[in-house]
Amino acid sequence: MNQKKKDSSRRKFIGNSLLSIAGLTSLSSFAYSPYEKSTDPKDIHQVRLGFIGVGQQAMGILNGMMKIPGVQVLACADVDSDKRERFQVRATRLTKENGKDKVEISTYADFNQLLERDDIDAVVIATPDHWHALTAIAACKAGKDIYLEKPLTFTIKEGQELVKAVRANSIVLAVGSQQRSEVNFQHAAHMVQKGKIGKIEKVLVHVGSPEHPKPYDLPAEEIPASLDWKTWLGPLKQIQYNQALAPKISLNPETNEKSWASWRWYKETGGGHMTDWGAHMLDIAQWGIGMDRNGPVNVIPASNDNPLTYEYANGIKIFVAPFDKGPQGVRFIGSDGWIQVNRGIFQSSDESLKPTRILPKQEYSHHYSDFITSVISRKDPIVPVEVGHSTCTICTIGNIAEELKRPLAWDPKTETFPHDWEASAKLHYNYENGYKL
């Protein structure tokens, strides 16, 4: 038996053993969700995590994961030595604050060294998008379960390969699309799917503006001594460093990132609001209309008269544009009413459509717990890899249509642009610097 299979068998044995100890009936459903079954991991004895990519987003995930009984954080990997040290200090403190067994938090410049450890069961990946596929596929081959930040991947081809790797290696992969674990969004999707607002006519989705990424135009700055910029770029073409892409921090005095990293807004390094917020809001839109493992058949770029439009085989259209001058959100419009949901906000055409309680803030802890219990039970989490890939795909083909400035036909079953070689060339890009998918 090779090492990968040994690790996979070991993790499954641990999961089955812990379930036997805890008893399936003791894993009670969270009260927050009447529609998606999540389980409380209070009886889990130990799930050991490593983190890959420890910038601003990872710090929030670390805090949430550490609150879950049974979760132990052992290590991190990052291309910035200052961020590795910050993680080590923070994880050590949280270990003590949450009453967990004292462990040494190891740090690595190379994530592959973290993946080689037999005592790590799962990894949290919160790198920039262009590293998602390479790190996650490597984790699959190493037999590690994965919590992967959204969007799933940088390109559609990467997503296709990651889906294969997850299933071929029997990996539990959860996508960080945490709105699926929030009661407001769950209730909205449930009402729509149950036909409570009649036949869906159209869906309005606000992902933020501008929706699409722009060419990289930041001036060159001196690369910090703590940062391995060449490895940060990885498979990307060479671009000049600017701290907006990888915000600097300091350890003494402690100064954290002053803003979210801007790599997400540039074509060379991200997908703009379409993949950043679209991975949340378009995810809910497709979920509500039952297309979250499917997709549109046509995508039409914005014009002077119409916003970016997705057309589905069942006649439903999704329009991507700001509406009601509100924050990012989704409005489902049916023949008998409408439902609108934003973070902390739920509105509808009739009071009877509203949930019994509207949560004013996001409850990320439920999403993290769902992942941990999925690791133990060996069952798919609320956002499995196929759903993450479907959501990422709709966001990306919207960017492709906008870039080409013409309507595109899309086959959601084959995940191709039929007979369109120009559009098909956008499904992936040529990796640089010796990297291979």
Side-chain angles (χ1 to χ4, degrees), residues 107-382:
T107 67
Y108 302 95
D110 183 352
F111 71 87
N112 290 293
Q113 291 180 288
L114 183 152
L115 294 177
E116 290 172 356
R117 289 182 52 162
D118 290 338
D119 59 346
I120 289 179
D121 304 305
V123 292
V124 173
I125 299 176
T127 64
D129 296 351
H130 68 277
W131 266 108
H132 280 191
L134 289 173
T135 51
I137 290 173
C140 289
K141 293 177 179 178
K144 312 299 185 188
D145 294 320
I146 304 165
Y147 182 95
L148 178 61
E149 263 304 313
K150 59 79 198 165
L152 188 79
T153 53
F154 190 39
T155 73
I156 292 171
K157 176 64 174 177
E158 288 176 338
Q160 293 167 344
E161 294 303 312
L162 180 52
V163 170
K164 294 176 186 176
V166 166
R167 296 310 176 190
N169 292 277
S170 301
I171 299 299
V172 169
L173 186 147
V175 185
S177 298
Q178 74 274 1
Q179 289 180 171
R180 293 242 180 172
S181 295
E182 295 179 34
V183 67
N184 296 353
F185 291 97
Q186 289 185 343
H187 185 77
H190 179 70
M191 291 289 103
V192 171
Q193 291 169 359
K194 293 294 184 182
K196 298 298 183 180
I197 58 173
K199 182 180 179 180
I200 299 301
E201 299 171 347
K202 60 183 177 180
V203 185
L204 309 181
V205 178
H206 178 27
V207 302
S209 183
E211 289 89 356
H212 308 286
K214 60 182 180 178
Y216 184 63
D217 60 358
L218 296 177
E221 294 180 347
E222 182 179 356
I223 300 172
S226 65
L227 176 64
D228 179 353
W229 180 241
K230 181 179 179 180
T231 303
W232 188 98
L233 287 172
L236 298 180
K237 291 182 178 180
Q238 176 64 38
I239 58 173
Q240 65 266 28
Y241 167 79
N242 184 286
Q243 66 174 315
L245 297 185
K248 294 186 291 187
I249 66 167
S250 64
L251 300 170
N252 188 18
E254 182 177 332
T255 304
N256 297 312
E257 297 90 341
K258 292 182 172 62
S259 63
W260 291 102
S262 295
W263 49 259
R264 64 202 71 211
W265 311 132
Y266 298 99
K267 179 181 174 182
E268 293 81 355
T269 55
H273 279 93
M274 281 298 295
T275 58
D276 190 61
W277 275 92
H280 288 305
M281 297 306 170
L282 283 166
D283 178 63
I284 298 301
Q286 285 208 136
W287 188 24
I289 64 174
M291 289 290 175
D292 57 352
R293 291 177 183 263
N294 200 320
V297 294
N298 292 296
V299 53
I300 305 168
S303 64
N304 291 334
D305 300 322
N306 296 295
L308 172 66
T309 303
Y310 297 99
E311 297 179 340
Y312 289 78
N314 60 8
I316 295 175
K317 294 182 180 180
I318 292 179
F319 299 95
V320 180
F323 58 88
D324 286 0
K325 298 181 180 180
Q328 287 92 337
V330 182
R331 174 177 277 207
F332 298 96
I333 300 174
S335 57
D336 299 330
W338 57 268
I339 288 174
Q340 179 174 321
V341 61
N342 316 78
R343 291 188 178 180
I345 303 171
F346 191 104
Q347 302 177 67
S348 60
S349 55
D350 188 276
E351 288 293 317
S352 65
L353 297 170
K354 292 184 177 181
T356 54
R357 61 188 180 112
I358 299 173
L359 299 184
K361 62 181 180 179
Q362 304 158 51
E363 294 190 357
Y364 293 172
S365 60
H366 298 317
H367 205 61
Y368 303 148
S369 295
D370 177 70
F371 169 62
I372 297 302
T373 52
S374 295
V375 169
I376 296 302
S377 67
R378 311 311 305 162
K379 294 181 180 178
D380 273 341
I382 192 171

